[in-house]
Amino acid sequence: MLLQLVTALAALAGAACSLLAEGSGAGAVSGILPFTAGGFIYLGTVSVIPEILRNSGPAQALLQLLALLAGVAMMLLIAHYE
C-alpha cells in the first residue's frame, strides 16, 4: 500500500507541475511530452510485454501487443493535434 501511495503522490505532483507549466509556452511542453511518452513506452516494453508473453497464448499476446501499439499511436495523435 505504501508504494501505491507513493505512486499516487507522484501523479499528484506531476499534475501540479503540468498546471504550473501551462502558461510557460511551448518550451515546457516540448520537454515534458517526450519524457511522459517515453515513460509509458518504457513501462510497456519492460514490464508488460514479458508478462503478456508468459501468461497467454500467441493470439492473445498479439491482441494485447496491438492494444499497446494503439495506445502509443493515440499518444502520437494527441501530441500532433494538441
Side-chain angles (χ1 to χ4, degrees), residues 30-56:
S30 67
I32 293 172
L33 188 62
F35 179 75
T36 305
F40 279 113
I41 294 169
Y42 174 77
L43 286 175
T45 55
V46 170
S47 57
V48 175
I49 289 178
E51 193 71 26
I52 289 171
L53 295 175
R54 185 174 335 135
N55 293 333
S56 61

Side-chain angles (χ1 to χ4, degrees), residues 18 22 26 29-30 33 74-82:
S18 68
E22 182 179 356
V29 172
S30 67
L33 188 62
M74 282 185 225
M75 285 191 285
L76 287 171
L77 285 172
I78 289 171
H80 181 68
Y81 289 112
E82 189 174 313

